[in-house]
Amino acid sequence: MVNSCLSRLVRQQAEKYGDKVALKYRDYTTATWIPVTWNGFADLVDKTARAFVKLGVEVQENVGVFSQNKPECLYVDFGAFKDRIVTVPLYATSSEAQVHYIVEDAGIRFLFVGEQYQYDVAYRVQGLCRSLKKIIIFDPEVKRAEGDNNSIYFSDFLQMGEKEECQPEVDKRVSESSLDDLANILYTSGTTGDSKGVMLHHSNYDVAFKGHNARLTNLGENDVVMNFLPFTHIFERAWSYYCLYKGCMLCINLRPQDIQKTIKEVRPTAMCSVPRFWEKVYAGVQEKINETTGLKKSLMLDALRVGREHNITYLMNGKTPPSLLHMKYKFYEKTIYSLLKKTIGIENGNFFPTAGAAIPEKVAEFVHSVGINMIAGYGLTESTATVSCEWIGDFRLGAVGRVLDGVEVRIGENNEIQLRGGTITKGYYKKEAITQQAFTEDGWFRTGDAGYMKDGFLYLTDRIKDLFKTSNGKYIAPQAIETKLVVDRYIDQVTIIADQRKFVSALIVPEYSQVEKFAQEHHIAFGSRKELLENPQIIELFRLRIDTLQQEFAHYEQVKRFTLLPEPFSMERGELTNTLKLKRAVVARNYKDIIDKMYEENVG
């Protein structure tokens, strides 16, 4: 029997690194980053493991963690792994109904919560759940409900593990830990229907680590890694576990909206993110170029041209750049590129994994042109994150890299990407029928994503389930159009409407600050945001920009009508998942009247 490496990982790293800093988290009262050494981390994990035993948590029992990113999430995870306990993370923004469903489905007796919102939701859910026995609160500032004598604070929980009396049981469990043990159940937020609990075993992580070792060759103990995406998301979770396994320092970002501030405080060498982060960087640079004039503007445009030619035309295609071009590139590297990186907070950057959605080609081209090592990848919760990824100097625009060691990919019916290998889930928790449907008869996992292989690189084309069929019988891939439009600096969110309709239309959430700025510059008076977005000059502005961006699409794929929305899509109205993916069915329902109005008479 092979023991799980996760059950021993933190203590082994402490023996190697001692008082070197393993974690940092931001204290918002002092605006400083508090370090936690490897020794301190390991001691807290050991106390957590003993407290679990004292509490009576059984081998392979499910415990819930309902919190934003906090170091306590990692203490609970690795303490649980020592005890062969399964952790079930819940998104910090989950609604009462979502929490109730997951707690009941996973039979959770003990639920850890982060701040006041999570406690309040959990406390209300406790009254409705048969299984939930105790809430354990990370943040000492949380005010418990009147009459709640059952919930305890994390400090009280740790106190239960102070004494060594439970250590023999912890040691026994560690020695009996196995790669066959279940590690996590990750509930996918689901753009359709109920959440499904993806089961990830210790063996899945073990194979994933080995596959990444062969690809991410220069990640190590000198790297400073910013945790920006929620730990609940498999991308950040698997990446963070792997970074700890490699001896990196993790800097835990509590509030996603603070990332532009915290990234400048930490100045990380690595950070995994979604394309939206880089889209905003790209839009910001485009805005800066538009505001600049004269020689400065010429230099900025030339820097982008030189970078594109040097890194994409030549290096990406395995060619050596001419010496004059290389000299120019080196000049811009020391001036314009380095200033840009410093402004973002990534001048120490090693590489930046990016996945979770399609990366607009203009954004990828820009990022590579200025010498930022964005590593595009593709993966799912069901594949323990990475299926494929690029590497420094080994990329193709529009591709999602080469397939990782330990994963097999084949292209099935309807060009579906299908997977097999040690990182693939064994199935969905307590959902045998859905598990069976998710695999082909010969054992390959169906991703639902369409794509193809070319020259060793994997390319995605669309979500098979997301393909729209117009009433004229034409198939539309909405994500391809949305990815094209969202790079525009005036567009924040967009959703394409086409299914069973005569033509393509769009609901657009503008970048309101940019539209208001345009209105001021063009002396357009408005009393409200709604009034501004209905102004003919503003509508014409968007029409011209959309027509320019969609030129490459066939006539039947192009957006004929659009509506500018005065409010963004939101999680509160059920329009976005916890990972900010759009729930198309909910949007179609919530905006039915607006959508129907766009189709009242035929256009074009």
Side-chain angles (χ1 to χ4, degrees):
M1 179 181 73
V2 179
N3 292 131
S4 156
C5 86
L6 291 176
S7 66
R8 301 170 184 267
L9 190 149
V10 178
R11 178 51 68 190
Q12 283 176 339
Q13 296 292 54
E15 286 165 7
K16 182 177 179 182
Y17 296 116
D19 287 329
K20 189 170 184 281
V21 176
L23 311 171
K24 275 187 180 179
Y25 63 95
R26 194 176 194 276
D27 182 327
Y28 274 80
T29 54
T30 61
T32 56
W33 287 79
I34 310 297
V36 179
T37 65
W38 278 105
N39 279 335
F41 186 10
D43 289 346
L44 284 160
V45 166
D46 289 349
K47 278 182 197 170
T48 302
R50 292 194 293 267
F52 271 134
V53 172
K54 184 80 173 171
L55 208 54
V57 186
E58 296 167 8
V59 168
Q60 292 291 271
E61 181 176 342
N62 302 331
V63 300
V65 182
F66 178 29
S67 175
Q68 58 286 82
N69 288 2
K70 292 171 84 68
E72 289 86 349
C73 298
L74 296 173
Y75 308 153
V76 168
D77 265 350
F78 286 94
F81 295 154
K82 286 183 89 87
D83 285 338
R84 303 178 65 203
I85 293 164
V86 183
T87 57
V88 182
L90 291 84
Y91 283 98
T93 51
S94 296
S95 67
E96 201 168 316
Q98 288 170 322
V99 173
H100 186 190
Y101 172 79
I102 292 171
V103 167
E104 286 279 89
D105 193 61
I108 290 168
R109 288 197 296 155
F110 303 102
L111 180 63
F112 293 83
V113 299
E115 295 184 341
Q116 194 70 48
Y117 170 78
Q118 291 91 27
Y119 167 76
D120 292 343
V121 169
Y123 184 68
R124 290 195 296 272
V125 163
Q126 190 171 18
L128 306 169
C129 279
R130 293 183 299 275
S131 62
L132 189 55
K133 296 287 182 279
K134 193 175 283 294
I135 297 167
I136 301 151
I137 307 160
F138 289 153
D139 186 351
E141 301 295 313
V142 166
K143 290 180 170 50
R144 291 188 295 182
E146 205 175 318
D148 178 8
N149 301 313
N150 190 36
S151 301
I152 60 170
Y153 291 98
F154 192 65
S155 54
D156 303 323
F157 171 76
L158 284 179
Q159 229 168 353
M160 295 168 67
E162 286 282 356
K163 293 181 181 171
E164 299 280 328
E165 63 193 67
C166 295
Q167 193 59 46
E169 175 61 20
V170 173
D171 293 341
K172 178 173 176 286
R173 292 189 187 191
V174 170
S175 69
E176 291 172 354
S177 69
S178 159
L179 289 177
D180 294 330
D181 286 342
L182 190 56
N184 300 132
I185 302 170
L186 275 73
Y187 281 81
T188 57
S189 46
T191 53
T192 56
D194 275 334
S195 293
K196 302 188 294 284
V198 178
M199 296 188 291
L200 293 181
H201 289 72
H202 286 264
S203 59
N204 295 128
Y205 287 109
D206 185 64
V207 176
F209 288 0
K210 287 169 183 166
H212 283 84
N213 278 346
R215 183 71 48 88
L216 311 185
T217 50
N218 70 349
L219 180 74
E221 58 194 48
N222 295 321
D223 277 290
V224 177
V225 178
M226 174 67 96
N227 296 131
F228 160 46
L229 300 179
F231 286 140
T232 312
H233 196 301
I234 185 56
F235 188 16
E236 187 70 78
R237 172 169 292 263
W239 164 249
S240 298
Y241 289 177
Y242 181 67
C243 288
L244 291 171
Y245 165 78
K246 296 294 283 185
C248 307
M249 182 204 300
L250 297 189
C251 299
I252 300 165
N253 183 69
L254 176 75
R255 297 173 187 156
Q257 66 272 22
D258 288 349
I259 188 61
Q260 289 185 324
K261 175 171 67 181
T262 56
I263 199 171
K264 290 187 182 80
E265 293 173 347
V266 167
R267 306 211 170 251
T269 63
M271 177 182 83
C272 75
S273 69
V274 288
R276 194 74 189 115
F277 178 84
W278 297 110
E279 285 165 16
K280 286 190 178 290
V281 170
Y282 171 78
V285 170
Q286 293 303 309
E287 186 58 26
K288 187 78 178 163
I289 290 170
N290 287 326
E291 288 171 354
T292 309
T293 55
L295 181 62
K296 196 175 176 185
K297 183 170 187 168
S298 299
L299 277 171
M300 289 169 83
L301 290 170
D302 192 54
L304 292 179
R305 182 193 63 77
V306 166
R308 186 168 58 247
E309 205 175 332
H310 186 275
N311 292 344
I312 293 169
T313 308
Y314 283 92
L315 293 183
M316 185 184 86
N317 292 303
K319 298 174 187 171
T320 305
S323 54
L324 184 61
L325 179 68
H326 186 64
M327 280 168 61
K328 274 187 169 183
Y329 181 79
K330 286 293 175 190
F331 168 72
Y332 285 133
E333 199 173 43
K334 289 184 180 133
T335 54
I336 289 175
Y337 307 151
S338 66
L339 180 63
L340 168 65
K341 290 173 193 173
K342 196 168 186 180
T343 304
I344 303 166
I346 58 167
E347 69 271 27
N348 302 325
N350 182 357
F351 65 94
F352 299 92
T354 304
I359 302 168
E361 199 159 308
K362 273 189 179 178
V363 174
E365 185 182 90
F366 157 75
V367 171
H368 286 298
S369 295
V370 299
I372 296 169
N373 290 321
M374 179 181 75
I375 305 300
Y378 164 67
L380 306 97
T381 308
E382 290 89 344
S383 61
T384 323
T386 318
V387 168
S388 65
C389 70
E390 300 173 337
W391 188 231
I392 298 167
D394 185 32
F395 66 94
R396 295 288 182 275
L397 291 182
V400 287
R402 299 181 190 274
V403 176
L404 217 60
D405 284 3
V407 186
E408 291 178 80
V409 167
R410 76 175 183 190
I411 307 299
E413 197 180 344
N414 297 324
N415 295 324
E416 183 180 40
I417 296 166
Q418 297 176 353
L419 309 173
R420 192 169 69 175
T423 64
I424 310 304
T425 181
K426 291 183 169 68
Y428 300 106
Y429 188 66
K430 297 197 302 194
K431 286 187 168 50
E432 287 180 25
I434 293 174
T435 297
Q436 207 171 345
Q437 289 164 17
F439 288 85
T440 63
E441 284 183 15
D442 57 347
W444 291 73
F445 177 75
R446 305 175 190 271
T447 64
D449 291 314
Y452 61 93
M453 297 288 298
K454 184 183 175 187
D455 301 329
F457 287 85
L458 179 63
Y459 291 78
L460 304 181
T461 51
D462 44 63
R463 280 287 296 167
I464 291 167
K465 289 173 187 169
D466 273 356
L467 278 181
F468 290 161
K469 191 178 185 181
T470 66
S471 56
N472 301 321
K474 301 282 191 183
Y475 279 98
I476 306 288
Q479 286 179 326
I481 307 169
E482 289 161 357
T483 301
K484 205 68 170 171
L485 298 183
V486 84
V487 298
D488 190 276
R489 72 178 191 274
Y490 286 97
I491 296 175
D492 183 32
Q493 297 170 304
V494 59
T495 183
I496 292 298
I497 313 294
D499 207 26
Q500 301 304 313
R501 301 284 188 172
K502 291 177 183 174
F503 55 86
V504 178
S505 69
L507 296 175
I508 293 172
V509 175
E511 194 68 67
Y512 301 118
S513 60
Q514 292 291 346
V515 180
E516 285 162 14
K517 188 177 170 189
F518 178 89
Q520 285 163 5
E521 289 169 355
H522 293 80
H523 310 294
I524 300 168
F526 59 96
S528 67
R529 189 183 280 171
K530 186 173 185 295
E531 186 186 323
L532 173 63
L533 298 179
E534 288 172 355
N535 184 288
Q537 279 179 265
I538 299 299
I539 291 167
E540 182 59 18
L541 166 73
F542 277 86
R543 167 47 64 202
L544 289 170
R545 300 186 81 84
I546 289 166
D547 284 348
T548 303
L549 289 164
Q550 63 180 3
Q551 283 173 0
E552 70 184 60
F553 292 112
H555 183 69
Y556 67 85
E557 294 175 304
Q558 292 180 0
V559 174
K560 305 294 189 295
R561 278 194 173 182
F562 59 88
T563 301
L564 304 177
L565 302 176
E567 296 291 332
F569 300 122
S570 77
M571 277 192 279
E572 289 72 30
R573 293 192 300 273
E575 294 152 5
L576 298 172
T577 69
N578 287 306
T579 53
L580 303 183
K581 290 190 176 79
L582 206 70
K583 293 187 176 182
R584 295 187 189 277
V586 177
V587 169
R589 189 166 65 243
N590 289 1
Y591 294 88
K592 184 181 184 302
D593 293 345
I594 291 171
I595 293 167
D596 287 346
K597 198 172 178 188
M598 291 193 288
Y599 291 94
E600 276 177 2
E601 57 184 77
N602 205 340
V603 178

